[in-house]
């Protein structure tokens, strides 16, 4: 019914979490392809140990080109995994990060939502960050489905052509926008919660403030409307740690994107559609529309 792809790089401290989660799912995947993006620690050994007792796990090693940035490499790893399984018969494609703990019925619940609505193209639960032993809610919008726990209807993933290799991230947001451009619905379900074992964005950034700055760059290169980003940053300044400075840093990243010198790789049609959505959300006070 579903296949999972997990990209990973030097995840020896975290990979046990998803491995244990998938091993105990109420609905077992047809296949779980774990793409090792040239790890240099013991990630491979841990995966192979689990694979001996779970025949649906397929370990795949990817040779990462020198100098390839984190987010782009992550996307290429996923798409290399996709090339391994796209010919198979299945209905849903799940993308799962290597630092996530899922409830045992995560995929059962997500698949049930797909079966309720034939036009649902992408779905997910929401995650909470585990920081210093405490769970911290992450601000979420029903229109957003984080790549860490995203599930696609196979037809929708094929139609949008998979993920865009965006240097500063946001490939999950881009996928959601492209799906809506093709008429699919995209929803997250806040009652389905998972645990994220690292603060969002710090897997590559190393610190929360660097992650916030990168998220601002991401907003710019996705073509977000300036007013939308400004209001979003104010909201997150008040509700997300680090308070105030986090939102300021994020907006600074957005502004600096203008002076970065790099061209956006998204299309003009994408940016126009995305900005129209954002203005509509502002005018509706972000109601579910």
């Amino acid at each position: 019914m579903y296949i999972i792809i997990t990209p990973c790089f030097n995840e020896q401290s975290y990979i046990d979490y998803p491995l244990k989660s998938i091993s105990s799912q109420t609905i077992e995947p047809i296949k779980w392809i774990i793409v090792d993006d040239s790890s240099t620690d013991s990630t491979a050994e841990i995966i192979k140990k689990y694979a001996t007792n779970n025949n649906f796990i397929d370990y795949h090693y990817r040779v990462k080109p020198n100098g390839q940035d984190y987010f782009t490499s992550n996307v290429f790893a996923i798409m290399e995994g996709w090339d391994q399984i796209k010919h198979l018969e299945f209905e849903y494609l799940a993308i799962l990060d290597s630092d996530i703990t899922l409830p045992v019925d995560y995929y059962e619940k997500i698949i049930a939502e797909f079966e309720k609505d034939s036009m649902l193209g992408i779905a997910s639960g929401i995650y909470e960050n585990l920081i210093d032993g405490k769970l911290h809610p992450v601000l979420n919008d029903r229109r957003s489905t984080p790549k860490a726990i995203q599930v696609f209807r196979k037809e929708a993933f094929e139609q949008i052509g998979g993920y865009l290799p965006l240097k500063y991230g946001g490939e999950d947001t881009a996928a959601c926008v492209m799906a809506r451009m093709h008429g699919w619905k995209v929803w997250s379900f806040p009652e389905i919660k998972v645990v994220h074992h690292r603060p969002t964005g710090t897997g590559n950034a190393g610190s929360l403030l660097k992650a916030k700055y990168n998220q601002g760059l991401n907003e710019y290169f996705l073509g977000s409307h300036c007013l939308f980003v400004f209001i979003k940053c104010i909201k997150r300044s008040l509700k997300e740690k680090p308070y105030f400075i986090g939102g300021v840093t994020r907006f600074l990243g957005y502004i600096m994107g203008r002076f970065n010198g790099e061209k956006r790789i998204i299309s003009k049609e994408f940016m126009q559609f995305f900005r129209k959505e954002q203005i509509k959300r502002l005018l509706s006070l972000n109601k579910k529309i």
Side-chain angles (χ1 to χ4, degrees):
M1 181 176 287
Y2 73 101
I3 288 177
I4 307 170
I5 299 175
T6 293
C8 63
F9 173 71
N10 286 352
E11 297 287 0
Q12 64 180 18
S13 299
Y14 297 97
I15 194 66
D16 269 325
Y17 296 118
L19 285 166
K20 289 177 181 177
S21 293
I22 301 305
S23 299
S24 59
Q25 285 295 300
T26 52
I27 300 179
E28 188 176 284
I30 296 171
K31 185 180 287 291
W32 181 17
I33 183 162
I34 305 177
V35 183
D36 183 351
D37 207 15
S38 299
S39 294
T40 56
D41 63 2
S42 60
T43 296
E45 288 74 14
I46 297 170
I47 296 168
K48 290 175 181 177
K49 180 180 177 181
Y50 272 87
T52 60
N53 298 316
N54 297 278
N55 58 14
F56 56 80
I57 296 177
D58 186 354
Y59 173 81
H60 177 80
Y61 185 83
R62 174 180 184 260
V63 179
K64 179 166 59 176
N66 290 333
Q68 196 167 78
D69 59 85
Y70 175 83
F71 288 110
T72 300
S73 183
N74 188 268
V75 166
F76 283 133
I78 292 171
M79 297 309 293
E80 191 164 311
W82 167 251
D83 286 340
Q84 303 294 314
I85 52 90
K86 63 184 179 182
H87 63 284
L88 300 176
E89 292 292 327
F90 62 99
E91 295 175 80
Y92 308 106
L93 173 68
I95 308 300
L96 178 65
D97 270 6
S98 50
D99 56 1
I100 296 288
T101 292
L102 299 172
V104 296
D105 57 353
Y106 181 76
Y107 291 114
E108 180 181 357
K109 287 183 175 179
I110 293 295
I111 289 170
E113 296 296 340
F114 278 110
E115 294 182 346
K116 290 177 188 176
D117 188 346
S118 63
M119 290 309 298
L120 183 62
I122 310 177
S124 76
I126 63 170
Y127 58 73
E128 297 178 315
N129 287 330
L130 184 64
I131 304 173
D132 297 327
K134 294 183 179 180
L135 288 173
H136 296 263
V138 176
L139 289 181
N140 69 287
D141 185 274
R142 290 297 309 278
R143 303 161 190 78
S144 298
T145 58
K147 180 169 67 69
I149 51 174
Q150 244 174 353
V151 184
F152 293 80
R153 194 178 295 274
K154 184 184 181 185
E155 182 184 352
F157 191 82
E158 291 174 327
Q159 195 168 23
I160 68 173
Y163 288 118
L164 290 175
L166 301 169
K167 182 177 179 179
Y168 300 103
E171 59 275 3
D172 47 0
T173 300
C176 291
V177 174
M178 290 189 294
R180 288 194 291 267
M181 288 174 72
H182 283 88
W184 295 102
K185 296 177 184 177
V186 177
W187 294 119
S188 60
F189 297 89
E191 68 276 12
I192 307 175
K193 297 180 180 180
V194 311
V195 177
H196 189 207
H197 290 271
R198 281 184 290 211
T200 307
T202 59
N204 70 300
S207 72
L208 274 174
L209 284 182
K210 179 63 174 177
K212 296 295 183 184
Y213 183 82
N214 286 345
Q215 287 165 3
L217 285 171
N218 158 25
E219 295 271 14
Y220 175 77
F221 285 100
L222 279 173
S224 290
H225 195 287
C226 184
L227 178 60
F228 183 88
V229 176
F230 180 69
I231 294 174
K232 181 177 182 178
C233 288
I234 291 175
K235 181 179 179 181
R236 290 177 180 265
S237 289
L238 300 174
K239 295 189 175 183
E240 275 187 352
K241 293 183 178 180
Y243 299 121
F244 182 69
I245 190 63
V248 171
T249 303
R250 185 171 184 146
F251 193 68
L252 177 63
Y254 176 81
I255 295 300
M256 292 306 294
R258 293 176 175 270
F259 303 99
N260 183 283
E262 297 177 44
K263 292 183 178 180
R264 295 183 175 104
I265 70 168
I266 59 168
S267 69
K268 181 179 179 180
E269 292 75 20
F270 177 102
M271 189 163 68
Q272 290 175 337
F273 182 91
F274 192 31
R275 289 186 173 186
K276 185 177 179 180
E277 278 193 331
Q278 291 176 330
I279 294 300
K280 190 174 182 180
R281 286 170 60 181
L282 289 177
L283 294 174
S284 69
L285 301 178
N286 208 30
K287 293 179 182 177
K288 181 179 175 182
I289 51 177

